[in-house]
Amino acid sequence: MEASWRQVAGGRGRARGRATAAPSPGNGALLRGAVTGREKRSGASDLSGPSPGGTETPAASELMSQRKFEEIKKANQAAARKLVEEHFSSSSEEEGDEDFEGKQGKIVANTFITYATQTDGDTRELERTKQYVNEAFQAGAMTCLICIASVKRNQAVWSCMGCFCIFHMPCIQKWAKDSQFLLSSLTDDDFGTRDYPWPCPKCRFEYKRSETPSRYYCYCGKVEDPPLDPWLVPHSCGQVCEREFKPPCGHKCLLLCHPGPCPPCPKMVTTTCYCKKAKPIPRRCSAKEWSCQQPCGQKLLCGQHKCENPCHAGSCKPCPRVSRQKCICGKKVAERSCASPVWHCDQVCGKTLPCANHTCEQVCHVGACGECPRSGKRFCPCQKSKFSLPCTEDVPTCGDSCDKVLECGIHRCSQRCHRGPCETCRQEVEKHCRCGKHTKRMSCHKPYLCETKCVKMRDCQKHQCRRKCCPGNCPPCDQNCGRTLGCRNHKCPSVCHRGSCYPCPETIDVKCNCGNAKVTVPCGRERTTKPPKCRELCSRPPTCHHTSQEKHRCHFGPCPPCHQPCQKVLEKCGHSCPASCHDQALIKQTGQHQPTGPWEQPSEPAFIETALPCPPCQVPIPVECLGKHEVSPLPCHAVGPYSCKRVCGRILDCQNHTCLKECHKVTEVDGCTSRNKAGPECLRCEEGCSKSQPLGCPHPCVLPCHPGECPPCFQMLRIKCHCKMTSLYVECRKITTADLNEKNLLSCCKNQCPKELPCGHRCKEMCHPGQCPFNCNQKVKLRCPCKRIKKEFQCNKVRENQVSIECDTTCKEMKRKASEIKEAEAKAALEEERRRQQAELEAFENRLKGRRKKNRKRDEVAVELSFWQKYKYYFLSVCGVAVVVFAWYIARVMD
């Protein structure tokens, strides 16, 4: 029967910690934030209720706003803490490859730096420990074998001291509890009292009940609940390990707190070799025992030869030489190994015993043969009578009944004393079968087994005993368990048992496609573990026409589409195809089944992989257009006569216009090689002459569009004379061919100029161009400033201020008198205005007095008051006093 703890697992080295993983600070903060938020919302609702007056007080509003602000602040802080924890939560979470590898290298270097200083940088002894540290960072490598789930950074764990396997704290606690329960439940007498051990799920290392983990510690066991630090190995405290080396040497581990076994001791000690012949030399403490390779020289057990092996540990090996040695009795001599000098031959001793009647029947022995076995007092066969007889005589029977217990164990032999074995018991008895359910009368020596099959459950509690006539001690179940393990890949190979099966002990290598990179994970994790990223190049052969595929890293699934240039030679032009490889293009499949109605789900579009033909050649070929305007590079597949879409632009026969047709083919005429000469395919000019006429000629050319100069214009041109008063008719050619003087003569009407000079007189010159000359000689009258003296002068002299007339004394006297008369008139007018205003003021006051009397009488009639208006203030005062007295009286009565 196998152990009954086959479902539970444990260890004592990694954690003596909590029954369950402690909730993360982020979750606790969120929970506290939620509770606080509910309390604050309830308080805020109480405060924000309508006040008795129907309005919210400013103090209550401010308090509610402050509480809401604090609630939101705490929730944001809790969310931030949770985000930080989730960022560093699991070794299976994705991290950037380059950043993660650099960070992992720094952490591993810091972990081994103290050890490396003792070994001068030699880290060859750290390979096993380095594997455990790397697995702590590797995605999917740290897996709990009980629940087949990843071990995250922020989860409480426990590590076995035998195999250093890591388990979740709740999982290992449940494993230990279940295994102890299964063992103790087998017997009812000591249930719950005996200290049953429990094993590690992986290495079966047994732990006592007191060693069941209850707290979460770091790997070295110094720090309880080690904090989460992204720059340390997961579940490490970051301090020096300081665990005792195994086997103990007096030194302690120098690494930082780490998973897995401690490396060999790197300290230097001075020791001698095994045989103590060589001088002591300094060596590593982990390799302090050494051999000098000289012959051992110690005397072997044979006592004849010495050990010839090189200096070695422990006892010397048996002597390998062969020698002739006698047996113990000395009768035979044989060649035997010196390592076994004592041996027995196969001959009977044959020496005469002291009785002189018999010989020794022992095989080759040492020492004296002893007394004769037939000498002295001897018993009869039934052991009831004793006789003293010579060794040559046999002991007779005593004649009493034998009375020995027969084989049945119940009855005794009824024969006379006899030699030899007693006969079989022949008495008939009522026998019970072995299971106790049936009875039968039969011979005592015969066993009685009924045909009833046992229906009790075996210790596996799944199968019945089914043994015929079972006495109740049903044997352990001998069937195979066969249950599918948690890995879903294997079945339990153990004998059928109670409880859950052991975790699958197998490991599976999750490899990349080429198999160069691999990660070893527990069986069952290969489905969820991401394959390692391989840095080797993909070695698959190309699936297109290229001899080699593009360089890319090892991968699963089909290779990416080939993006190399096609480089196939095109049949029509001989150029190479520059497009990307198109041998395996995905084309949407057409002509699929159409749904018959809206109830039928449309099928997803199907794509088929097919080789596409090379695209048209795009190599640029210089080609001249039809009208020979330009040479443009055209794709090779489109080479041929083409129009550049420009206007033809060739000069027509009229030599004045160009062909307006779009670029077209032009046939050369009479061997003319000029590209500007119009051909028969160009347009014919049908417009009139559009040449510019001489300056001043407004008439178009009467001829159609023609080459060369236009003929002179003989049409009459109507023009205005210089003074713009008379219209003149002159031939157009005379005007356009005349110079400036001739044009002035042709434009003169021979009349006097009608323009006025600046002085206001008419110009005396004949019709002329430009400004009139300023030489007016006409007589004008000039007066003094007071206008009394008057004289005549020439107009141009007056304009030039060459003459002037001043007032004399008579003029001055007349001016003085005139000013005095004006002053007197102004005073009289002012006095008259003052009298008029005074009269108007008196008249206004008289009118105003009469109006006031009338208004006073009207007001006395309209403002007559009623009785209530006259005495309402008295009544209100009396009523107020009465109310106060009544209130005071009521208050006294209530007291």
Side-chain angles (χ1 to χ4, degrees):
M1 175 176 178
E2 292 193 3
S4 305
W5 53 64
R6 38 183 88 251
Q7 191 51 26
V8 201
R12 63 182 173 188
R14 177 66 182 90
R16 296 175 287 279
R18 304 177 299 226
T20 57
S24 64
N27 297 336
L30 289 176
L31 181 60
R32 293 193 296 271
V35 175
T36 307
R38 288 194 294 269
E39 293 174 355
K40 290 181 177 180
R41 284 193 293 272
S42 62
S45 63
D46 296 341
L47 291 174
S48 61
S51 61
T55 59
E56 189 180 44
T57 60
S61 177
E62 183 178 358
L63 182 58
M64 181 180 66
S65 300
Q66 183 67 21
R67 287 190 175 182
K68 287 184 178 179
F69 174 77
E70 293 296 334
E71 178 184 350
I72 296 173
K73 179 181 177 181
K74 290 184 178 180
N76 290 340
Q77 292 176 350
R81 287 194 295 269
K82 183 178 180 182
L83 180 63
V84 171
E85 288 192 0
E86 288 180 352
H87 182 68
F88 302 106
S89 62
S90 173
S91 61
S92 63
E93 294 175 356
E94 293 296 331
E95 299 188 45
D97 292 338
E98 296 181 359
D99 296 342
F100 179 69
E101 288 178 2
K103 178 179 176 182
Q104 177 181 345
K106 292 180 181 179
I107 297 174
V108 173
N110 291 335
T111 305
F112 299 150
I113 186 170
T114 310
Y115 186 93
T117 55
Q118 295 286 335
T119 60
D120 297 331
D122 185 9
T123 58
R124 288 176 294 177
E125 301 291 342
L126 294 174
E127 293 301 326
R128 186 181 177 193
T129 306
K130 190 179 295 184
Q131 180 182 359
Y132 280 93
V133 176
N134 289 331
E135 286 180 356
F137 294 99
Q138 200 169 29
M142 291 182 64
T143 305
C144 177
L145 295 180
I146 300 175
C147 63
I148 314 297
S150 297
V151 177
K152 298 183 179 180
R153 292 172 178 260
N154 60 345
Q155 292 177 332
V157 296
W158 176 85
S159 176
C160 176
M161 288 301 292
C163 60
F164 303 99
C165 187
I166 294 177
F167 304 92
H168 291 125
M169 179 66 68
C171 296
I172 195 64
Q173 288 173 339
K174 185 177 183 299
W175 177 276
K177 181 179 178 181
D178 290 350
S179 59
Q180 293 170 1
F181 174 77
L182 290 176
L183 273 178
S184 60
S185 63
L186 294 179
T187 57
D188 295 334
D189 52 351
D190 59 350
F191 182 78
T193 59
R194 188 176 172 185
D195 188 8
Y196 290 100
W198 56 274
C200 169
K202 184 177 181 181
C203 65
R204 308 299 191 267
F205 186 86
E206 290 190 352
Y207 296 90
K208 298 179 182 178
R209 174 179 290 183
S210 59
E211 295 174 338
T212 303
S214 60
R215 296 182 181 276
Y216 168 41
Y217 283 91
C218 62
Y219 294 110
C220 63
K222 293 180 182 178
V223 179
E224 181 180 353
D225 294 333
L228 179 65
D229 191 341
W231 287 101
L232 292 177
V233 178
H235 315 292
S236 170
C237 64
Q239 303 179 22
V240 179
C241 179
E242 294 186 348
R243 285 185 288 184
E244 294 287 344
F245 285 110
K246 294 182 180 180
C249 63
H251 302 126
K252 296 182 179 180
C253 180
L254 301 176
L255 299 183
L256 299 184
C257 183
H258 62 90
C262 295
C265 181
K267 295 287 185 179
M268 299 296 294
V269 294
T270 302
T271 58
T272 185
C273 64
Y274 295 112
C275 64
K276 312 297 181 182
K277 295 180 180 180
K279 293 182 179 180
I281 60 174
R283 292 180 62 86
R284 299 280 180 207
C285 183
S286 59
K288 60 185 177 182
E289 296 180 353
W290 60 286
S291 172
C292 62
Q293 299 301 319
Q294 297 181 10
C296 176
Q298 292 185 6
K299 203 166 188 177
L300 299 178
L301 295 177
C302 64
Q304 300 177 6
H305 307 103
K306 292 183 179 180
C307 180
E308 297 178 354
N309 293 327
C311 177
H312 58 85
S315 301
C316 297
K317 294 182 179 179
C319 183
R321 295 189 179 185
V322 177
S323 60
R324 295 182 63 81
Q325 298 177 7
K326 292 183 178 181
C327 65
I328 292 177
C329 64
K331 293 182 178 181
K332 284 189 176 182
V333 177
E335 290 186 354
R336 293 181 59 83
S337 174
C338 284
S340 57
V342 179
W343 64 286
H344 298 267
C345 64
D346 55 354
Q347 292 185 5
V348 179
C349 179
K351 292 181 181 180
T352 304
L353 296 177
C355 66
N357 297 319
H358 301 94
T359 59
C360 180
E361 296 180 356
Q362 298 182 24
V363 179
C364 184
H365 64 88
V366 181
C369 295
E371 296 292 333
C372 179
R374 296 172 63 91
S375 64
K377 294 183 178 181
R378 290 179 287 174
F379 286 93
C380 67
C382 68
Q383 302 294 320
K384 291 181 180 180
S385 299
K386 185 181 292 187
F387 300 91
S388 295
L389 297 173
C391 63
T392 56
E393 296 183 8
D394 293 333
V395 178
T397 59
C398 64
D400 198 355
S401 61
C402 179
D403 206 24
K404 291 181 180 178
V405 179
L406 299 177
E407 293 180 356
C408 65
I410 301 173
H411 305 103
R412 294 180 179 272
C413 181
S414 59
Q415 293 181 357
R416 295 286 182 181
C417 179
H418 60 87
R419 294 182 175 87
C422 297
E423 64 178 6
T424 305
C425 182
R426 300 183 180 278
Q427 296 188 27
E428 288 190 359
V429 294
E430 190 79 18
K431 297 192 72 173
H432 290 272
C433 65
R434 191 167 54 183
C435 65
K437 295 182 179 180
H438 304 279
T439 59
K440 185 178 181 181
R441 191 163 188 84
M442 57 187 303
S443 297
C444 182
H445 72 278
K446 293 182 179 179
Y448 176 39
L449 300 177
C450 67
E451 298 295 324
T452 303
K453 292 184 178 180
C454 182
V455 296
K456 290 183 179 180
M457 301 299 292
R458 297 195 180 188
D459 57 349
C460 65
Q461 297 299 318
K462 288 189 292 185
H463 301 105
Q464 291 181 343
C465 179
R466 306 302 295 171
R467 190 173 59 161
K468 291 183 179 180
C469 197
C470 178
N473 55 342
C474 301
C477 185
D478 55 355
Q479 300 186 29
N480 288 333
C481 177
R483 285 186 293 182
T484 303
L485 299 177
C487 64
R488 305 290 181 183
N489 296 329
H490 304 96
K491 293 186 177 181
C492 181
S494 304
V495 177
C496 189
H497 56 84
R498 296 177 64 184
S500 302
C501 301
Y502 274 114
C504 182
E506 302 292 333
T507 58
I508 295 181
D509 292 337
V510 179
K511 300 182 180 180
C512 64
N513 188 45
C514 66
N516 290 330
K518 66 178 182 179
V519 56
T520 302
V521 297
C523 182
R525 287 285 294 172
E526 70 278 2
R527 302 182 187 90
T528 57
T529 301
K530 186 177 180 181
K533 291 190 176 181
C534 180
R535 297 188 177 276
E536 300 293 331
L537 296 179
C538 180
S539 58
R540 296 180 183 179
T543 55
C544 58
H545 67 278
H546 291 103
T547 57
S548 62
Q549 61 178 350
E550 291 180 303
K551 292 183 178 180
H552 59 278
R553 303 220 180 260
C554 173
H555 61 90
F556 288 93
C559 291
C562 180
H563 296 288
Q564 302 181 73
C566 178
Q567 297 298 325
K568 288 183 179 179
V569 179
L570 301 177
E571 297 179 356
K572 294 183 178 180
C573 59
H575 295 122
S576 298
C577 178
S580 297
C581 182
H582 44 81
D583 288 352
Q584 294 176 330
L586 292 178
I587 304 299
K588 186 175 180 180
Q589 190 174 5
T590 59
Q592 292 182 332
H593 172 69
Q594 297 295 328
T596 57
W599 57 86
E600 185 175 348
Q601 294 293 334
S603 59
E604 295 184 359
F607 292 87
I608 56 175
E609 191 177 87
T610 183
L612 297 178
C614 293
C617 182
Q618 300 293 332
V619 176
I621 304 296
V623 179
E624 190 175 31
C625 67
L626 293 172
K628 300 181 180 180
H629 300 107
E630 64 179 18
V631 175
S632 297
L634 295 182
C636 181
H637 73 278
V639 170
Y642 78 99
S643 172
C644 64
K645 305 301 180 182
R646 298 182 184 177
V647 177
C648 176
R650 290 177 177 262
I651 300 175
L652 301 179
D653 294 338
C654 64
Q655 302 296 321
N656 298 323
H657 300 96
T658 57
C659 179
L660 299 179
K661 291 177 67 176
E662 191 179 277
C663 177
H664 58 88
K665 183 179 180 182
V666 179
T667 304
E668 303 294 342
V669 181
D670 298 334
C672 180
T673 58
S674 176
R675 295 193 176 186
N676 294 329
K677 182 66 175 178
E681 293 85 1
C682 295
L683 295 174
R684 300 297 178 185
C685 184
E686 298 178 354
E687 299 182 5
C689 181
S690 59
K691 293 181 179 179
S692 59
Q693 298 298 319
L695 184 62
C697 179
H699 309 108
C701 179
V702 297
L703 298 177
C705 187
H706 59 86
E709 298 292 334
C710 296
C713 180
F714 291 97
Q715 297 188 35
M716 299 302 291
L717 183 64
R718 181 181 177 181
I719 61 175
K720 290 285 187 178
C721 64
H722 296 302
C723 57
K724 309 299 181 184
M725 298 294 291
T726 307
S727 295
L728 303 177
Y729 290 92
V730 183
E731 285 186 358
C732 184
R733 62 183 183 82
K734 293 181 179 180
I735 292 293
T736 57
T737 58
D739 56 6
L740 182 60
N741 292 331
E742 290 178 352
K743 286 184 178 179
N744 289 337
L745 291 176
L746 291 174
S747 300
C748 181
C749 62
K750 311 301 182 181
N751 296 324
Q752 182 184 355
C753 180
K755 298 178 181 178
E756 288 187 357
L757 298 176
C759 60
H761 301 118
R762 184 176 177 181
C763 180
K764 300 298 184 181
E765 299 292 334
M766 189 184 301
C767 180
H768 62 85
Q771 298 292 333
C772 296
F774 187 61
N775 55 357
C776 181
N777 295 324
Q778 194 170 347
K779 298 291 184 179
V780 295
K781 294 180 180 180
L782 188 63
R783 296 178 180 272
C784 67
C786 64
K787 308 298 182 182
R788 188 180 69 81
I789 302 174
K790 178 175 65 174
K791 292 182 181 181
E792 289 186 356
F793 297 96
Q794 288 184 355
C795 181
N796 57 352
K797 292 181 178 181
V798 174
R799 296 286 293 180
E800 294 174 359
N801 294 326
Q802 295 180 2
V803 295
S804 60
I805 301 176
E806 300 295 335
C807 293
D808 53 5
T809 57
T810 307
C811 294
K812 293 179 180 179
E813 183 66 22
M814 292 177 64
K815 187 180 297 183
R816 184 183 59 79
K817 291 180 180 180
S819 61
E820 290 177 354
I821 294 172
K822 286 183 178 179
E823 290 178 359
E825 291 178 352
K827 289 181 179 180
L830 183 60
E831 183 66 24
E832 181 66 25
E833 179 66 22
R834 188 182 63 76
R835 286 196 301 271
R836 186 179 61 78
Q837 291 178 355
Q838 184 64 29
E840 290 180 355
L841 180 58
E842 292 176 356
F844 178 73
E845 288 178 353
N846 293 335
R847 289 197 300 272
L848 186 59
K849 289 179 181 179
R851 187 177 302 166
R852 284 178 179 174
K853 291 179 181 180
K854 293 179 182 180
N855 290 338
R856 188 178 304 159
K857 293 179 181 180
R858 189 181 305 114
D859 293 340
E860 290 176 357
V861 175
V863 177
E864 185 175 1
L865 300 176
S866 64
F867 179 81
W868 169 251
Q869 292 176 343
K870 288 180 181 180
Y871 302 102
K872 63 181 180 180
Y873 297 103
Y874 299 101
F875 284 107
L876 292 175
S877 301
V878 172
C879 291
V881 172
V883 171
V884 171
V885 172
F886 181 76
W888 176 80
Y889 176 75
I890 293 299
R892 290 295 299 273
V893 172
M894 294 297 292
D895 293 338

